[in-house]
Amino acid sequence: MKSEYNPAEVEKKWQRFWEEEGSFRAVPDPEKEKCYVLEMFPYPSGRIHMGHVRNYSIGYVIARFRRLQGYNVLHPMGWDAFGMPAENAAIKHGVPPARCTYENIDYMRNELKQIGLSYDWDREVATCDPDYYRWEQWFFLKMREKGLVYRKKSSVNWCDSCKTVLANEQVENNCCWRCDSEVMQKELPQWFFRITDYADELLDACDALPGWPERVLTMQKNWIGKSHGVEVEFAIDGSDRTLRIFTTRPDTLFGATFMSMAPEHPLVPSLTTPEQKTAVETFVERMRKVDRLTRTSEDVEKEGVFTGSYAVNPMNRERMPIYLANFVLMEYGTGAVMAVPTHDQRDFEFARQYGIPMKVVIQPPDATLLEEEMTEAYTAPGVLVNSGKFSGLPSEEAKERIAEEVKTLGIGDRTVNYRLRDWGISRQRYWGAPIPIIYCEACGEVPVPDSDLPVVLPEDVELTGEGGSPLAAHPGFVNTSCPRCGQPASRETDTLDTFVESSWYFLRYASRRREGTPFDGEEVGYWMSVDQYIGGIEHAVMHLLYSRFFTKVLRDLGLVFVDEPFTNLLTQGMVIKDGAKMSKSKGNVVDPDFLVQKYGADTARLFSLFAAPPEKDLDWSDQGVEGANRFLHRVWRLVAHFADRLASLDRETPIPDVLSESWTVIRRKTHQTIRKVTHDLDGRFHFNTAIAAIMEFVNLLNPLREKKIDDVMLPVLRESLEALTLLLAPFAPHIAEEMWEALGHTGGIRAARWPAFDETVAKEEEITVVVQIKGKLRSRIRVPADSPREVLEKAALADPRIRELTTGKTIRKVIVVPGKLVNIVI
């Protein structure tokens, strides 16, 4: 083993070895327990960044750790290759999206290999490959047969100047990102998946995912938004029509003083009086230019317009003005809301703005509310007032009593509502999977036959960014014949939402055999579900929810036999530099290629894992990178110093039964470090503290380089350095492989097993116990490890520093936590 550490040389050697030996190739083995580790696959933007390095290093640690524990590990990689960035780049540079995408994939694959990540590249997937998206087209058709796909008109972001639909990310301050024209909402036919059919199962199954962060589960539950309430019919004054509303607060029905409706509500034209026509049409047109998220944001001013019509409160027969309001959406509930300003904050703000009367109908138990003195809505439980025969009831009881009254009067009934809406999958863009539908004048909507799949995306298109989808202007793509009647027909020119591709890629990975099938059921049955999934929390209510939905659909189609795609989920933090997330626009990006060339991949990975717990944001530090590099050089010199003697040592040479105190300390620390790192990696993912323990271990071993080691103690040293090497392998694999070989092993670390610790050896004979006075650290004492409470108390009170601080004081209590601390209350 060379005396000096050369990362470039070592890393090239072992990357070549891993590739030639197929070290990370995964094959089902019923005799071994499996472990499927997966990071969310990247978009092939052209270069990896430090966020990638951190994310994939986390996955590598888990995969390598499980392999060393004897698990059969699947750790694949691929590319989420469709989407807007490639299409935008093609418009800007005149390069076909397919060409730049595959060039980027080749470049990024090479970068990932240079970092030394343990992927089974035989299972690589690119979602823009026709052999991949043909199967999601097939899924679309099977779901359509089951009634899970439908088409209806829906609002999209529309730029009238460019004559094109815009994605949400292409709308900047309600303006088109390209021409800066004002964006409006336009109704176009769109395709949808009926995810709402699975709302209850998706919601209930959240409680069966203990390996997911509670924050993610809460976000999914809120996104699904199941609400139990009442639908009530409000008569329109002077008309035989009614306006149906949904409320979760029937106890406040007597306090409704106006109605608010979505600007898109179909009754708006008929409810608008001639005097209000101009004002209403102006407001509706303005709302068409504001996206839904902005309208419902809490910090957006509540605004609206009076229609000129009135509704009648069915409980007290009072007339209520009907307003259009920016914060009411047609997609939730019925698109109309009874407004109770004294008990709903949005209604309160709206009523104050437009001078609408208020009425208190719930009084708090310890105060009396007066409408004219209120500064905000009262939303807590209380006692009903001004509510007819229900006055005096507790509000929770009143909910049930009034709901029953509504049903008895025949003006409504209890119901359940959901915030979740069906998944709109149509995209009026080019770079995506074509939707496999044909339109025939005689036959209507006709599915593309299975034998004609995939519907391949043509590459000879002109991308201008104007005039809608370029597929619509491609006669060779659009013009076809009807599969049923043979007459001329046209293809659907919308493409699928890219979240469709990412909703099943983990199943494709799990199957090596793919000819004539989306995946091999037997192999998928062995590998699924994913045991550890890793990615950003920003995907909590889109990708993660859609993947759960898709898995359940494929289960119901008889294609898979699991209910959930991901057993455990780790959401990693961002990489921060100069107080902000790394990004090109902020000029604070650190190039991983530069780090690898200067320090080596192991240094870059070790720093990214040591600088912060994986779920927290990582603050970038150049000094931290240099520190990680110095540590690896120190480890190298330590092992190199003893490698030749240890490699030649007979493997059967036992550890002596009797050790000196110094070697007992070293052996104890060896087993304590193994125990600490094992516990930190095994489901806890405390990578930073595991690395800190390894560093502490190295600090203990390093002085041995300056000492003469008797041959009889070499087995103890070998145990320590071999343990050190294996513990370091998940974090810095290249240097660990080289050290393992230098210590006399062949075949690489893949042939090794994670070191075991002996509790008896790891047990301390003496421990340090903290002594506090009134909760403040005042001293430390060394005591036998198994000291009982009374011994600890006596030792603490006898400590000279403690005696000095307690002299002349009254000791009121001594609190003892065995093995940890003594706290003296004076």
Side-chain angles (χ1 to χ4, degrees):
M1 184 176 179
K2 295 181 179 179
S3 59
E4 290 302 318
Y5 173 42
N6 184 332
E9 182 181 303
V10 170
E11 289 171 4
K12 285 179 183 176
K13 169 186 172 179
W14 288 103
Q15 288 166 15
R16 185 167 57 250
F17 173 85
W18 295 331
E19 188 155 353
E20 290 172 355
E21 295 294 316
S23 297
F24 308 125
R25 191 171 297 128
V27 178
D29 183 352
E31 301 301 314
K32 296 177 74 174
E33 189 172 354
K34 66 92 179 177
C35 183
Y36 185 175
V37 180
L38 182 62
E39 305 96 57
M40 295 179 185
F41 62 170
Y43 178 79
S45 58
R47 300 184 75 87
I48 64 169
H49 51 68
M50 284 310 302
H52 289 131
V53 173
R54 187 187 191 200
N55 191 16
Y56 306 149
S57 295
I58 291 169
Y60 179 93
V61 171
I62 299 168
R64 190 70 178 235
F65 174 60
R66 292 302 186 204
R67 278 196 183 94
L68 284 166
Q69 287 187 313
Y71 286 83
N72 188 21
V73 174
L74 171 60
H75 190 207
M77 174 51 70
W79 314 97
D80 192 8
F82 275 139
M84 286 301 302
E87 190 165 338
N88 292 340
I91 294 168
K92 184 176 180 180
H93 302 296
V95 178
R99 193 175 95 191
C100 67
T101 297
Y102 281 110
E103 287 175 355
N104 289 347
I105 286 173
D106 290 342
Y107 190 89
M108 291 177 69
R109 184 193 303 112
N110 186 55
E111 284 188 303
L112 293 179
K113 288 184 176 181
Q114 286 180 351
I115 296 172
L117 297 164
S118 62
Y119 295 126
D120 181 354
W121 287 105
D122 290 348
R123 296 173 182 264
E124 182 180 10
V125 160
T127 60
C128 62
D129 181 349
D131 193 48
Y132 180 85
Y133 66 72
R134 72 167 291 185
W135 294 110
E136 69 192 58
Q137 292 174 341
W138 186 75
F139 294 149
F140 174 96
L141 296 175
K142 295 303 170 188
M143 291 168 71
R144 186 172 177 272
E145 290 172 8
K146 293 286 187 181
L148 292 172
V149 177
Y150 66 94
R151 190 171 184 244
K152 70 168 186 177
K153 281 194 171 184
S154 182
S155 292
V156 296
N157 300 313
W158 177 260
C159 174
D160 207 42
S161 174
C162 295
K163 302 296 182 188
T164 191
V165 172
L166 302 176
N168 286 335
E169 59 267 29
Q170 293 177 311
V171 180
E172 300 172 354
N173 298 318
N174 286 331
C175 292
C176 173
W177 69 291
R178 186 179 295 112
C179 70
D180 210 33
S181 298
E182 203 169 30
V183 173
M184 66 178 67
Q185 299 294 300
K186 184 175 182 178
E187 294 251 309
L188 289 178
Q190 307 277 293
W191 288 96
F192 291 84
F193 283 156
R194 291 190 192 275
I195 191 173
T196 52
D197 282 11
Y198 286 77
D200 279 323
E201 185 180 357
L202 288 167
L203 183 63
D204 294 343
C206 285
D207 295 328
L209 294 171
W212 283 43
E214 190 59 38
R215 182 183 173 194
V216 174
L217 294 175
T218 298
M219 291 169 73
Q220 289 212 358
K221 290 176 181 179
N222 291 340
W223 189 261
I224 295 168
K226 186 175 184 178
S227 301
H228 293 271
V230 179
E231 281 194 352
V232 185
E233 297 278 1
F234 282 70
I236 306 299
D237 191 35
S239 167
D240 57 359
R241 288 171 303 171
T242 60
L243 196 56
R244 179 174 283 262
I245 64 95
F246 170 80
T247 180
T248 59
R249 296 292 308 273
D251 53 322
T252 64
L253 260 167
F254 283 85
T257 59
F258 68 99
M259 303 289 284
S260 50
M261 294 173 60
E264 306 83 15
H265 199 290
L267 289 181
V268 169
S270 60
L271 291 178
T272 303
T273 62
E275 297 80 11
Q276 292 297 113
K277 189 171 186 289
T278 300
V280 168
E281 289 178 349
T282 300
F283 180 78
V284 169
E285 182 62 25
R286 187 154 56 84
M287 289 300 104
R288 287 180 64 209
K289 299 173 182 178
V290 183
D291 68 82
R292 305 298 205 260
L293 287 176
T294 300
R295 280 173 47 186
T296 55
S297 175
E298 288 186 7
D299 55 2
V300 169
E301 182 183 359
K302 309 302 179 282
E303 58 176 326
V305 64
F306 179 41
T307 62
S309 292
Y310 291 82
V312 178
N313 189 319
M315 307 309 290
N316 57 22
R317 311 308 301 169
E318 293 179 2
R319 294 173 81 230
M320 306 161 52
I322 302 173
Y323 279 77
L324 307 188
N326 62 340
F327 56 84
V328 182
L329 300 181
M330 196 63 215
E331 289 84 359
Y332 183 73
T334 64
V337 178
M338 70 167 198
V340 186
T342 50
H343 305 296
D344 181 278
Q345 188 60 30
R346 287 189 312 180
D347 297 343
F348 180 88
E349 294 172 17
F350 193 93
R352 278 287 166 88
Q353 171 128 344
Y354 293 97
I356 302 171
M358 303 185 187
K359 179 189 291 186
V360 172
V361 292
I362 297 177
Q363 290 285 5
D366 55 355
T368 300
L369 298 177
L370 299 174
E371 291 86 352
E372 62 273 13
E373 295 178 359
M374 293 180 71
T375 58
E376 62 181 0
Y378 175 73
T379 58
V383 177
L384 264 65
V385 296
N386 300 321
S387 299
K389 64 183 180 181
F390 303 102
S391 294
L393 289 177
S395 55
E396 290 303 311
E397 181 183 344
K399 285 182 182 179
E400 294 301 314
R401 295 276 294 274
I402 294 177
E404 194 59 39
E405 179 79 358
V406 165
K407 183 176 180 180
T408 301
L409 294 174
I411 56 172
D413 203 352
R414 291 181 176 87
T415 189
V416 176
N417 217 324
Y418 297 88
R419 182 175 183 268
L420 180 69
R421 288 294 169 262
D422 283 335
W423 175 8
I425 56 168
S426 287
R427 298 295 180 267
Q428 293 74 35
R429 300 195 290 272
Y430 163 69
W431 191 234
I435 293 176
I437 291 292
I438 291 170
Y439 298 106
C440 171
E441 286 192 9
C443 304
E445 292 175 7
V446 182
V448 172
D450 291 357
S451 58
D452 291 346
L453 297 178
V455 178
V456 177
L457 196 65
E459 294 189 20
D460 56 334
V461 296
E462 184 179 359
L463 293 170
T464 64
E466 300 180 1
S469 170
L471 292 177
H474 191 290
F477 177 81
V478 175
N479 298 330
T480 185
S481 56
C482 175
R484 287 181 185 162
C485 69
Q487 295 299 308
S490 60
R491 293 190 186 279
E492 171 64 77
T493 58
D494 285 358
T495 53
L496 289 167
D497 178 10
T498 55
F499 278 116
V500 178
E501 280 92 62
S502 60
S503 292
W504 71 283
Y505 76 108
F506 42 87
L507 295 166
R508 187 74 164 173
Y509 280 154
S511 173
R512 296 170 71 89
R513 298 183 297 275
R514 301 169 178 169
E515 298 78 19
T517 182
F519 41 76
D520 179 79
E522 183 178 347
E523 193 171 358
V524 166
Y526 173 80
W527 290 114
M528 286 296 290
S529 299
V530 175
D531 295 282
Q532 185 63 59
Y533 199 38
I534 305 156
I537 197 166
E538 66 271 18
H539 299 291
V541 293
M542 300 291 277
H543 163 61
L544 289 169
L545 187 64
Y546 293 155
S547 296
R548 295 182 61 217
F549 162 66
F550 226 77
T551 299
K552 295 176 189 302
V553 168
L554 296 183
R555 174 203 63 195
D556 292 347
L557 290 173
L559 297 172
V560 299
F561 302 97
V562 294
D563 296 324
E564 293 287 345
F566 315 121
T567 303
N568 298 291
L569 173 68
L570 171 64
T571 53
Q572 91 284 352
M574 297 184 296
V575 179
I576 305 294
K577 188 171 187 290
D578 303 329
K581 178 183 176 182
M582 279 191 184
S583 70
K584 291 180 182 178
S585 62
K586 293 185 176 68
N588 64 348
V589 169
V590 175
D591 184 3
D593 286 351
F594 168 77
L595 287 181
V596 170
Q597 290 167 17
K598 184 174 181 179
Y599 299 108
D602 282 347
T603 290
R605 292 166 59 164
L606 187 70
F607 167 75
S608 72
L609 295 163
F610 177 59
E615 72 279 5
K616 304 292 186 182
D617 289 345
L618 183 159
D619 280 313
W620 184 262
S621 164
D622 293 335
Q623 292 80 11
V625 175
E626 291 169 1
N629 187 247
R630 286 195 301 271
F631 169 71
L632 291 180
H633 278 271
R634 194 159 62 248
V635 172
W636 178 278
R637 288 192 296 269
L638 171 64
V639 175
H641 185 80
F642 297 107
D644 290 344
R645 289 182 71 187
L646 295 178
S648 61
L649 181 66
D650 187 342
R651 294 254 149 226
E652 302 301 318
T653 306
I655 291 173
D657 292 331
V658 179
L659 300 175
S660 67
E661 183 178 349
S662 61
W663 283 103
T664 298
V665 168
I666 287 171
R667 189 152 193 250
R668 181 187 302 129
K669 190 65 172 179
T670 299
H671 285 258
Q672 288 175 342
T673 306
I674 295 170
R675 180 178 62 190
K676 169 67 173 170
V677 175
T678 302
H679 289 168
D680 280 351
L681 295 190
D682 204 356
R684 297 172 63 192
F685 307 140
H686 293 178
F687 304 142
N688 56 326
T689 57
I691 295 170
I694 295 171
M695 290 177 171
E696 186 180 321
F697 185 35
V698 171
N699 290 340
L700 177 71
L701 297 177
N702 244 333
L704 295 176
R705 293 171 56 208
E706 308 301 325
K707 297 180 180 180
K708 188 176 185 303
I709 309 296
D710 293 336
D711 286 350
V712 71
M713 290 298 121
L714 288 179
V716 182
L717 182 60
R718 179 174 63 190
E719 179 188 46
S720 296
L721 293 185
E722 286 186 348
L724 168 64
T725 301
L726 292 174
L727 295 179
L728 192 59
F731 307 103
H734 305 89
I735 192 173
E737 290 275 18
E738 188 71 12
M739 295 189 306
W740 189 248
E741 184 180 69
L743 290 169
H745 298 276
T746 58
I749 284 179
R750 67 174 181 165
R753 282 294 170 263
W754 188 255
F757 58 88
D758 186 323
E759 284 286 9
T760 304
V761 177
K763 185 178 180 181
E764 286 276 10
E765 294 179 5
E766 280 195 340
I767 59 172
T768 299
V769 171
V770 168
V771 183
Q772 301 173 337
I773 295 180
K774 297 175 72 173
K776 293 185 178 180
L777 175 64
R778 295 305 185 194
S779 187
R780 291 182 174 86
I781 55 175
R782 293 286 292 174
V783 294
D786 54 357
S787 296
R789 289 174 180 271
E790 55 273 16
V791 171
L792 290 173
E793 179 177 338
K794 185 176 180 181
L797 293 173
D799 179 76
R801 172 68 174 153
I802 298 301
R803 280 210 316 267
E804 177 187 335
L805 294 170
T806 56
T807 298
K809 310 285 186 182
T810 301
I811 296 176
R812 299 192 179 278
K813 185 191 292 186
V814 179
I815 302 165
V816 178
V817 181
K820 292 188 177 180
L821 65 83
V822 178
N823 184 26
I824 302 165
V825 182
I826 60 174

